[in-house]
Each structure stands twice: as C-alpha cells, then as structure tokens.
Amino acid sequence: MPNFTDVTEFILLGLTSRQEFQVLFFVVFLVVYMITLLGNIGMIILISISPQLQSPMYFFLSHLSFVDVWFSSNVTPKMLENLISETKTISYVGCLVQCYFFIALVHVEVYILAVMAFDRYMAICNPLLYGSKMSRTVCVRLISVPYVYGFSVSLICTLWTYGLYFCGNFEINHFYCADPPLIKIACGGVHIKEYTMIVIAGINFTYSLSVVLISYTLIVVTVLRMRSADGRRKAFSTCGSHLTAVTMFYGTLIFMYLRRPTEESVEQGKMVAVFYTTVIPMLNPMIYSLRNKDVKEAVHKAIAKANKGR
C-alpha cells in the first residue's frame, strides 16, 4: 500500500529555475497582466457607455472580457509572487480554489465563444428575425447558461481533485495548480481523476466546438449566396475576429487537456499554458477592436467626449 501523506502546501516549480530569467519574466508578465486588465476593463466600460455598442454581439463580448479578467487574475498574481519569492509555495486549500476557478472559467469561456458564434449565425442567416429572436431577455438567458454550467461542472471536477492522494512529492511542475501536473505527482485516486478530466474536457470541447463549426458552416453557405460583394465582405469581417479568438483558445486547451499527463506533456503544457492564461486574455480586446469599425468609432467618440469635458 502507498504511504499517503497529509498535504498542507505544494511547491510550484514555475516556468524556470534559473534566477537570471525570473526577474525578466516578472517584468514581462507584469506588463502583460496590466495590459490585460486595462484592455478588458476598458472594453467593458466602452461597451456600457457607447450607444452604438448595445447589440447582442457586444453584450456577449463584454462578458468575454469580464471572464478574461478573472481568468488571468486567477493565475497571474500568484505566478508573479513566486517569481520574486524564495518560497514558491501555495497552500493545499489555495491550490484547490485555484483549480476550481480555473476549470469554471475555462468552461464559461468556451461556451461564451459558442454563444457568440450562434449570435453571428442569427445576425447573418436570419437578419429579419434577429431583433426579436435575440432580445435582451434571450441574451441574458443565453449568457447565464455558461456561468451556471461552468461553475457546477468545476465543483464536481474539483471534488475529484480533492480525491487525489500524495506520497511525499509535493512539487508541481507548473506555475499554477493545474490538473495534469497534479495527477502526475499523485499516488492515489489517479485513474478516476485522469479519466474524468479527459472525458469531461472532450465532451465539453466537442459540444461547444460543434456549435461554433455548425454556426459558421451555415454562415459561409449564406454569405456565398449573397450577390453583394460588400455584403459578403462585411459578413466575413464581423466573423473574422471571433474565429481568431476561437482558434487560439480551443487549440491551446485541446493540446493540454485531451491527452494523458506525462513528463513530456506536462513540460510542453506549461509553455502552452502561458499562452492561454496570459497572452490570449491580453490579445482578445485587440482582436475584437482593431478590425471592428464600430469599436473604433466608439473609442474615438469616447476620447472626443472626454476631451470636450475638460
């Protein structure tokens, strides 16, 4: 029988053990985190004060920004603390809490991306019914489902993480408490946790991605039937930003969670995790604003109004 040990804290090995890189990483990720907060909070405020950004698409985008703020804030502050700290530890309870919010926010985000794809389908394929079918009440109901489902599923997944047993190795080869490296160092309860992680991730990624793919297949069919070149260009331009965000987020998560944890996969996953926990939340506001005429106009009007008020 394994000699199970009571756990009070874990050691997070982080991105690197080389001291000369840790200060550099601290500065880089602090800047990235500040840009993430400013970009996403700025997007939320801009959408709330701009009359031309009151359509369902921007309502869902404001929630995507809201989730990105919390998604990054769940991981980055602890990572920054450990980069400049001698004791790179996280308490057992803190680890479970971080796992819970990480899993919850991942599920919320993938289903918000699916809802946004459905919204684009309704806007492009059913423009005459769009206003009535995508009313404010319907939008609130649609956005509520990812939150309720995500936090409920996460509670179940975190309870399975709580069921893991450890035998003296408390070093997590990661910069936050993630399931794959935790499974790798556990010596009990591993099989049920590993199996459920892959199955739940597979089911949710497949279902939400199916909604995205079906929506965009129907959009492409509808757009190709349009006679106006300007109409086709406008339809594709409103979808391009969303498709970019979907590709980046799903691609990195599938790479990490739909395979068995091994030393190699955990090490590779650590590098990929940097992308979806810090870089993608920073890029999303840029992706949705740089190619969006309405957002650009709203920014210019907000700046002009602020200058006029001085």
Side-chain angles (χ1 to χ4, degrees):
M1 290 291 292
N3 185 20
F4 298 139
T5 308
D6 289 334
V7 186
T8 57
E9 64 181 18
F10 293 104
I11 298 170
L12 294 168
L13 296 183
L15 290 171
T16 179
S17 59
R18 298 179 63 175
Q19 290 291 333
E20 62 268 28
F21 288 139
Q22 291 189 4
V23 174
L24 174 63
F25 283 160
F26 176 83
V27 173
V28 170
F29 288 116
L30 178 62
V31 171
V32 169
Y33 184 52
M34 290 296 104
I35 294 172
T36 300
L37 292 182
L38 290 172
N40 284 287
I41 293 172
M43 181 67 78
I44 294 168
I45 295 171
L46 182 67
I47 291 171
S48 66
I49 65 173
S50 302
Q52 68 266 45
L53 301 182
Q54 298 306 305
S55 66
M57 180 175 77
Y58 297 109
F59 172 74
F60 297 132
L61 178 57
S62 68
H63 280 273
L64 182 67
S65 291
F66 175 77
V67 172
D68 277 340
V69 168
W70 288 105
F71 191 59
S72 183
S73 297
N74 182 48
V75 173
T76 309
K78 188 63 182 177
M79 178 180 68
L80 292 173
E81 178 191 331
N82 286 343
L83 281 171
I84 58 173
S85 173
E86 291 293 328
T87 56
K88 305 177 187 303
T89 59
I90 184 170
S91 68
Y92 179 68
V93 173
C95 185
L96 288 179
V97 169
Q98 195 175 58
C99 278
Y100 173 71
F101 280 103
F102 178 83
I103 296 168
L105 293 168
V106 164
H107 282 88
V108 173
E109 181 141 350
V110 295
Y111 281 107
I112 287 178
L113 290 171
V115 167
M116 291 175 75
F118 175 73
D119 171 69
R120 290 299 82 211
Y121 157 74
M122 290 297 296
I124 294 171
C125 300
N126 298 282
L128 299 178
L129 299 174
Y130 182 65
S132 59
K133 294 292 185 182
M134 296 296 288
S135 65
R136 189 71 173 184
T137 303
V138 172
C139 290
V140 169
R141 289 174 181 172
L142 282 173
I143 204 64
S144 299
V145 173
Y147 286 103
V148 173
Y149 178 76
F151 281 91
S152 300
V153 168
S154 182
L155 180 60
I156 298 169
C157 294
T158 306
L159 288 173
W160 279 319
T161 303
Y162 180 72
L164 292 173
Y165 295 95
F166 302 90
C167 301
N169 181 12
F170 304 139
E171 293 186 342
I172 301 174
N173 186 19
H174 220 292
F175 57 90
Y176 70 94
C177 281
D179 279 344
L182 278 171
I183 291 170
K184 195 73 189 72
I185 65 172
C187 57
V190 171
H191 297 298
I192 181 79
K193 176 60 184 176
E194 186 178 305
Y195 176 77
T196 53
M197 180 190 75
I198 294 173
V199 169
I200 289 176
I203 290 172
N204 285 291
F205 291 161
T206 301
Y207 182 72
S208 57
L209 192 56
S210 296
V211 174
V212 174
L213 294 176
I214 292 170
S215 297
Y216 276 105
T217 300
L218 295 173
I219 288 170
V220 169
V221 171
T222 301
V223 170
L224 292 178
R225 288 176 179 172
M226 292 179 178
R227 295 181 180 180
S228 168
D230 288 337
R232 288 196 297 269
R233 195 181 307 111
K234 185 177 179 181
F236 279 129
S237 68
T238 61
C239 299
S241 300
H242 182 249
L243 279 173
T244 303
V246 167
T247 302
M248 290 193 305
F249 196 69
Y250 277 86
T252 52
L253 286 174
I254 288 171
F255 181 84
M256 184 166 179
Y257 284 95
L258 290 185
R259 55 184 185 161
R260 293 189 63 195
T262 61
E263 287 291 346
E264 184 182 6
S265 69
V266 167
E267 193 64 36
Q268 292 171 348
K270 189 163 59 171
M271 297 300 106
V272 174
V274 171
F275 196 67
Y276 67 72
T277 57
T278 59
V279 179
I280 291 178
M282 178 189 68
L283 292 178
N284 275 344
M286 301 179 192
I287 292 169
Y288 283 100
S289 60
L290 292 177
R291 298 180 59 184
N292 191 302
K293 185 179 178 182
D294 291 337
V295 174
K296 288 179 182 178
E297 288 180 358
V299 170
H300 292 149
K301 287 181 180 180
I303 293 172
K305 189 175 179 180
N307 290 333
K308 189 181 293 184
R310 289 181 179 178

